[in-house]
């Protein structure tokens, strides 16, 4: 039996996307992932002013990954497998 499966893309999350409520609002489902890390990057604060984003995540203080080039810098996170359509929707 040949079962068609939609292609998947990897999405690394080091912040709010790890929260189940954010996954449900963003993708309509809970995501499955595995631990991973982003070497050569460090977290920096990012103020969120969009009230809808703050309401979903529960915080106006998020973080953003900034390239440092230092291999000793490392951001721990989770890699999720999502569809290309879900990635496009998340970027919107």
């Amino acid at each position: 039996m040949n079962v068609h499966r939609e292609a998947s893309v990897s999405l690394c999350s080091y912040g709010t996307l790890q929260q189940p409520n954010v996954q449900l609002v963003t993708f309509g489902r809970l995501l499955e992932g595995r631990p991973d890390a982003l070497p050569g990057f460090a977290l920096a604060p990012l103020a969120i002013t969009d009230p809808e984003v703050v309401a979903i995540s529960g915080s106006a203080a998020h973080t953003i990954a900034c390239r440092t080039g230092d291999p000793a810098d490392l951001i721990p996170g989770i890699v999720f497998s999502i569809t290309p359509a879900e990635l496009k929707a998340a970027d919107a």
Side-chain angles (χ1 to χ4, degrees):
M1 175 183 207
N2 187 6
V3 177
H4 173 71
R5 292 188 145 198
E6 191 170 0
S8 67
V9 295
S10 295
L11 175 65
C12 182
S13 172
Y14 51 84
T16 56
L17 193 55
Q18 294 179 39
Q19 298 174 356
N21 63 314
V22 174
Q23 293 175 19
L24 288 171
V25 169
T26 305
F27 300 106
R29 67 183 181 98
L30 294 178
L31 303 177
E32 293 183 25
R34 62 176 170 74
D36 206 340
L38 187 59
F41 286 78
L43 292 177
L46 176 68
I48 302 298
T49 58
D50 183 326
E52 185 177 347
V53 173
V54 173
I56 293 168
S57 70
S59 176
H62 290 204
T63 56
I64 188 167
C66 294
R67 181 183 298 275
T68 66
D70 182 347
D73 289 333
L74 192 71
I75 300 174
I78 297 178
V79 172
F80 297 108
S81 290
I82 61 173
T83 67
E86 287 175 325
L87 179 61
K88 186 175 180 178
D91 283 344

